[in-house]
Amino acid sequence: MMNKELPYNENWIFKQADDPSFAAQPIQDGQHVTLPHSWNASDGQGESEAYYRGACWYQRLFQLESEHMGKQIYLEIGAAGNKGEVYVNGHLAGESRCGYAMFRVALNRLLHEGENLISIRVDNGYDNEVLPLLADFTFYGGLYREVKLLLLDHLHFDVMDNGRDGVYVTQKRIGAGLFELTVEGQIINHRAARESGRVQLELRNQEGKTVCEIGADVTLEKNTAFKLVQEIADPVLWHGTEQPYLYEAVVTVESEGEVKDRRSVEIGFRTIQATTDRGILLNDKPLKLNGVCRHQDFGGKGNAITKAEMELDMALIREVGANSVRLAHYQHDDYFYRLCDRYGLLVWAEIPYISIPSTKDPHNHNAFEQLERLIKQAYNHCSIYCWGVQNEITIAVETEHTHTNIQKLVQLAKQLDPNRMTVQANINGVADESVINSYTDMIGYNLYYGWYYGEIKDLGDRFDSFHRANPEIPLILSEYGVDTNPRFHSYTPKVQDYSEEYQLMFHHNALDSIASRPFVQGGYVWNMFDFGSANRHEGGVRGRNQKGLVTIDRKLKKDAFFLYKAYWSDEPFVHLTGRRFAERHQAQNEITVLTNLRHIRMYNNGKLVAEMRSDAKVKVAHEVTLYEGNNLIKVEGYGESGSLYTDEMTLQLVSKANPAYEYVKPESGAHVVNWFEQFDLSDTEELKLREGYYSTFDTIDELFENEQAQAVFVKYFAHVTDNPFFEVTRSVMSIEKMAQLTFYNIPPELLNVINKELNAIPK
Ligand code: GCB
């Protein structure tokens, strides 16, 4: 009989408590759950102040049936956030420290006939050696992806190499229209005796027709490596969203006249390069990356999402017209990469080597483990064009280890996959000239000019300065965006007002800045969807980052969504902006229409108020007069062949501005803007620092070793010590480093003042 894969998601018992006896003893008062499951579905998105971080247990009984006899049995866990330990009848069977990757455990050696207890301890508590340590998203705990039981024959493709399929399919162009297809992997034979067998590859086109068939006889030892290579002339190319043409590679191993194991891998033939003069070349044709970033979580569900939610995300990403997606900041569900293959989106895939490295393990082994799993598990997805090795890892500390680790991660990526590019996402503070920028094939920058710092228009200047410093390095805008709560509105949008109008303005500028520069390969909107970020509390909402084009429940598309749709999508539409800004206190209004149609007409209560014909995607009707009562604003867009597209909204003229539209910043917040004003900064005489005494260059932990130095720190920074960011970074963060982060808002004069006090304290 052939190998079987059974879903194993039902009938789990869950207990939100950590008790080592659960490894061997049934949980008495647990809760029945079906996987995927997360215990942070609501507290991880702002329902309560803190979210539960710690260890919990899942259990399930496993009946060893007669059908299992003679089978090799494995449990496949889609993901355990962030660490998982699997016990069988009280014995540890396997574990994972990669909370976003799949892992498997072999069960046979621990199973006995009849009833067996499978217990899984899952832990999302803080562990300095397991990434991510700190980031702007919720580290949801749980068995949040599908679990499967694999019942395999004595002969099968390797399922325990940290990969997924056990077969690796590589396509490579070797001449004009000529590709080389390689299929390699390992076959495992659980019997002591060697066997003769055959590995076979059949390539089928989309119509199911066999394009080629090759095979090789193999002698099957305990582990047998195989490699099949075949030239393919003029395949139909996989060409992004325009033509996501996939072939199916069917790989089998046969012995004793029957197929023992079989894999079906979807594969696209394509070439992808990055250039500084023509941008990304997909099959030699330039393609600007019109990208969005995606986090995997969903309103009310945390990261415990099903295929239906992933399909909805893909439908929205397709609707906005994106041709690329950055799947941030960790490995996503395999099904999502598969959807990207099928719909032709180019994928930036990455690991959570983010914000700060481990401070206990200078080599950050966990980053390497996560990279290995990501690459091996996602290797066969032709949509992936690059591996991201770090995101803003220099935010708090940058040492030689940081540099060596990034370089080694790149080496590992190249060793596991020489055919794909590497990339990293830098924080804006990384100098254009930084040596870091020479480590990967492409460089991404997360740039928030006009939100966290600077002004909207600075974006283009930064692109240009980077390009001047690095004319040969392809640049990507790896993140950009602003928090937006669709409740807030303004006639005069400003930074940090969280209004829908500011988001629109910000993104409009970015689109132009990217489009006009060929060395910029493209950009990734941060973010396609609002997402859970338990430590946030701003813009009128707790527990969420609101930079999405769509809300976390996927129900509301903010106006900026339609801006992108107008630029990127061919699906004809018209959209009136400002519909949630329904009460207007000015009689004269600018009304903006977002559309990919040339010709539109606008009406108020049936009367024509504007008519425009142009290629502009953003069409503004000036001085539209509103009257008392309801104003039904309607727009008509005229497509080719006379088709009509419409949108409408109702606005009311009111006498006073509606205060509910304005975000009022709570003054009592922990980070009062000019918190330093209470200190005297008038003494600007520069100090020469003495060796052997404390200074702003020491880490906070070092300062805290001395009572006096600690007191100086606390005097100035007591207001930040309850911040989780502070707690996790104190062993590497110095006051100097804090001063480089806009978040702390430290004026340079203050450093001198603090040094005068610290540098008087001997070490
Ligand atoms: C970033 C991070 C991302 C955050 C984003 C933000 O640069 O890479 O994880 O969510 O900024 O919204 O601040």
Side-chain angles (χ1 to χ4, degrees):
M1 200 180 59
M2 260 262 286
N3 297 327
K4 264 208 287 196
E5 237 184 56
L6 304 175
Y8 213 60
N9 301 314
E10 313 276 334
N11 300 322
W12 288 86
I13 301 287
F14 168 72
K15 175 95 181 163
Q16 188 159 337
D18 188 17
D19 180 344
S21 76
F22 294 155
Q25 303 299 323
I27 296 170
Q28 296 305 339
D29 52 351
Q31 176 194 340
H32 286 261
V33 296
T34 297
L35 308 180
H37 174 263
S38 167
W39 60 78
N40 300 120
S42 46
D43 67 357
Q45 298 177 340
E47 192 183 72
S48 55
E49 194 142 349
Y51 70 114
Y52 183 86
R53 291 191 65 185
C56 300
W57 286 79
Y58 293 85
Q59 272 188 352
R60 196 186 193 285
L61 290 176
F62 174 71
Q63 196 73 32
L64 192 61
E65 312 274 6
S66 55
E67 59 164 318
H68 300 138
M69 291 306 166
K71 288 285 176 190
Q72 298 299 322
I73 307 174
Y74 299 87
L75 194 65
E76 173 178 309
I77 291 144
N82 282 349
K83 292 189 291 187
E85 288 166 10
V86 180
Y87 296 85
V88 177
N89 302 319
H91 301 281
L92 186 65
E95 58 192 318
S96 161
R97 307 188 327 146
C98 301
Y100 302 90
M102 181 274 280
F103 68 107
R104 296 186 178 122
V105 292
L107 301 185
N108 285 55
R109 116 193 119 82
L110 296 169
L111 291 175
H112 49 61
E113 235 184 286
E115 205 167 76
N116 294 269
L117 182 68
I118 298 182
S119 299
I120 308 182
R121 181 179 188 269
V122 184
D123 186 357
N124 68 337
Y126 176 72
D127 177 336
N128 189 283
E129 291 179 38
V130 175
L131 302 167
L133 295 183
L134 181 92
D136 174 27
F137 58 91
T138 302
F139 305 156
Y140 298 96
L143 288 180
Y144 67 89
R145 288 187 189 144
E146 291 185 358
V147 169
K148 290 176 189 162
L149 198 64
L150 310 185
L151 302 174
L152 309 186
D153 223 320
H154 76 283
L155 269 187
H156 58 80
F157 293 112
D158 195 355
V159 289
M160 293 300 286
D161 70 340
N162 281 333
R164 180 173 302 276
D165 297 314
V167 303
Y168 296 89
V169 184
T170 309
Q171 56 84 41
K172 209 169 137 184
R173 188 168 67 185
I174 52 169
L178 189 63
F179 282 76
E180 185 181 76
L181 183 65
T182 307
V183 177
E184 57 201 314
Q186 284 224 94
I187 299 159
I188 308 294
N189 178 4
H190 290 269
R191 289 193 184 146
R194 42 162 89 132
E195 267 175 55
S196 37
R198 192 171 169 77
V199 224
Q200 193 87 16
L201 160 72
E202 185 191 343
L203 188 70
R204 298 179 184 161
N205 68 13
Q206 250 174 27
E207 288 72 50
K209 211 177 125 230
T210 304
V211 176
C212 81
E213 213 167 353
I214 52 166
D217 292 330
V218 277
T219 304
L220 298 162
E221 323 258 355
K222 220 166 146 209
N223 294 320
T224 311
F226 69 91
K227 183 171 182 173
L228 301 173
V229 184
Q230 171 70 27
E231 285 185 6
I232 311 280
D234 296 319
V236 181
L237 298 180
W238 183 93
H239 197 82
T241 52
E242 269 174 39
Q243 179 178 284
Y245 194 96
L246 293 172
Y247 288 81
E248 184 192 9
V250 180
V251 193
T252 51
V253 52
E254 287 171 26
S255 156
E256 300 163 335
E258 64 176 38
V259 173
K260 299 290 186 186
D261 203 1
R262 178 183 189 277
R263 293 286 181 278
S264 156
V265 176
E266 288 176 324
I267 155 107
F269 292 90
R270 88 286 184 278
T271 61
I272 301 176
Q273 287 158 265
T275 70
T276 45
D277 55 344
R278 299 168 73 205
I280 289 283
L281 301 180
L282 172 62
N283 302 319
D284 303 323
K285 295 195 189 119
L287 180 84
K288 196 66 139 184
L289 297 173
N290 294 337
V292 291
C293 296
R294 172 187 184 250
H295 260 300
Q296 65 184 354
D297 64 330
F298 208 93
K301 296 180 188 256
N303 52 3
I305 56 166
T306 61
K307 289 197 168 82
E309 277 94 34
M310 290 185 250
E311 282 158 12
L312 175 57
D313 278 7
M314 179 50 84
L316 288 161
I317 292 171
R318 278 162 51 77
E319 185 190 337
V320 83
N323 59 22
S324 185
V325 59
R326 177 176 171 207
L327 295 179
H329 281 304
Y330 39 72
Q331 186 174 334
H332 285 224
D333 193 304
D334 191 63
Y335 187 64
F336 206 82
Y337 298 108
R338 199 178 330 150
L339 290 175
C340 293
D341 295 341
R342 290 183 181 169
Y343 291 112
L345 284 127
L346 265 69
V347 174
W348 162 327
E350 70 189 55
I351 52 163
Y353 189 44
I354 177 170
S355 316
I356 58 163
S358 168
T359 47
K360 265 200 201 156
D361 169 14
H363 304 295
N364 279 268
H365 287 104
N366 188 243
F368 293 82
E369 282 178 74
Q370 300 216 34
L371 187 63
E372 182 190 345
R373 290 204 190 183
L374 169 68
I375 296 181
K376 286 187 168 174
Q377 294 179 12
Y379 184 92
N380 288 336
H381 294 291
C382 63
S383 54
I384 297 175
Y385 75 101
C386 64
W387 302 116
V389 294
Q390 66 93 358
N391 181 80
E392 301 193 345
I393 198 67
T394 56
I395 191 170
V397 60
E398 185 175 338
T399 64
E400 264 171 52
H401 283 301
T402 322
H403 291 185
T404 326
N405 284 337
I406 301 174
Q407 284 172 295
K408 285 193 177 157
L409 285 165
V410 170
Q411 274 165 17
L412 178 65
K414 291 291 180 190
Q415 176 202 325
L416 293 170
D417 185 358
N419 298 309
R420 279 189 178 95
M421 293 187 281
T422 53
V423 71
Q424 46 186 330
N426 282 331
I427 190 162
N428 72 309
V430 173
D432 296 334
E433 299 75 18
S434 169
V435 60
I436 287 183
N437 288 336
S438 63
Y439 296 162
T440 46
D441 298 311
M442 299 178 292
I443 289 295
Y445 265 87
N446 301 339
L447 298 177
Y448 289 90
Y449 292 105
W451 186 248
Y452 292 126
Y453 42 78
E455 286 177 44
I456 286 183
K457 60 171 180 37
D458 299 339
L459 180 66
D461 296 342
R462 182 64 193 271
F463 287 157
D464 296 336
S465 78
F466 178 89
H467 189 52
R468 271 195 301 277
N470 307 287
E472 303 304 326
I473 302 178
L475 176 67
I476 302 184
L477 179 57
S478 37
E479 283 179 29
Y480 62 108
V482 295
D483 284 83
T484 307
N485 182 335
R487 277 188 2 234
F488 299 130
H489 299 284
S490 173
Y491 278 118
T492 50
K494 285 191 282 301
V495 62
Q496 307 277 334
D497 70 2
Y498 296 86
S499 73
E500 233 180 322
E501 291 71 29
Y502 189 73
Q503 189 185 32
L504 197 59
M505 208 164 105
F506 175 95
H507 283 287
H508 196 190
N509 172 76
L511 268 172
D512 288 344
S513 311
I514 300 168
S516 53
R517 293 170 174 83
F519 60 89
V520 180
Q521 318 290 299
Y524 290 97
V525 175
W526 191 259
N527 194 292
M528 181 67 194
F529 308 105
D530 290 350
F531 58 91
S533 180
N535 296 328
R536 277 187 183 257
H537 190 176
E538 60 175 88
V541 162
R542 188 205 292 277
R544 255 178 273 157
N545 183 311
Q546 299 186 86
K547 295 194 183 71
L549 300 179
V550 178
T551 49
I552 194 167
D553 57 8
R554 278 44 172 185
K555 290 198 175 128
L556 188 151
K557 295 167 187 157
K558 303 177 194 175
D559 281 340
F561 174 95
F562 296 96
L563 172 75
Y564 283 101
K565 184 170 173 176
Y567 273 82
W568 292 348
S569 168
D570 293 333
E571 185 197 325
F573 78 101
V574 283
H575 173 82
L576 284 161
T577 65
R579 67 193 53 224
R580 282 167 285 274
F581 189 6
E583 293 184 13
R584 304 287 176 112
H585 57 280
Q586 292 179 9
Q588 301 300 317
N589 284 263
E590 270 186 2
I591 298 201
T592 299
V593 178
L594 301 172
T595 182
N596 45 16
L597 297 169
R598 287 203 79 244
H599 181 196
I600 63 156
R601 284 198 190 111
M602 191 186 293
Y603 303 87
N604 182 4
N605 289 337
K607 201 172 136 244
L608 184 70
V609 291
E611 176 159 18
M612 287 175 252
R613 279 190 180 83
S614 78
D615 286 331
K617 312 290 184 194
V618 178
K619 293 187 170 66
V620 185
H622 298 278
E623 303 203 345
V624 176
T625 310
L626 300 185
Y627 303 97
E628 250 171 67
N630 282 349
N631 295 260
L632 179 67
I633 310 287
K634 189 169 176 189
V635 62
E636 287 181 351
Y638 309 100
E640 277 161 32
S641 69
S643 36
L644 179 68
Y645 301 87
T646 63
D647 190 21
E648 56 184 52
M649 65 180 179
T650 302
L651 303 180
Q652 279 124 27
L653 184 61
V654 293
S655 54
K656 277 203 314 281
N658 182 343
Y661 290 155
E662 192 187 344
Y663 172 61
V664 184
K665 231 181 188 163
E667 273 310 315
S668 56
H671 308 290
V672 182
V673 179
N674 291 337
W675 60 275
F676 48 81
E677 277 174 0
Q678 53 182 308
F679 303 110
D680 178 8
L681 304 183
S682 59
D683 179 4
T684 51
E685 192 195 321
E686 226 181 284
L687 177 79
K688 198 158 175 335
L689 289 180
R690 294 187 292 172
E691 294 258 351
Y693 293 79
Y694 286 98
S695 79
T696 49
F697 290 92
D698 294 307
T699 66
I700 298 161
D701 272 358
E702 280 159 358
L703 298 179
F704 275 45
E705 279 163 17
N706 178 298
E707 235 175 76
Q708 273 175 290
Q710 173 173 2
V712 174
F713 183 88
V714 172
K715 173 173 155 196
Y716 291 99
F717 298 109
H719 64 292
V720 302
T721 53
D722 62 348
N723 188 295
F725 185 74
F726 170 79
E727 205 38 53
V728 185
T729 53
R730 49 182 282 170
S731 63
V732 288
M733 183 72 97
S734 62
I735 299 175
E736 283 299 317
K737 194 77 201 182
M738 285 166 67
Q740 289 165 21
L741 301 176
T742 41
F743 167 79
Y744 287 109
N745 191 21
I746 300 174
E749 306 88 303
L750 188 63
L751 294 178
N752 205 32
V753 170
I754 299 175
N755 266 331
K756 285 195 176 142
E757 291 175 45
L758 282 180
N759 211 234
I761 309 168
K763 283 193 173 171

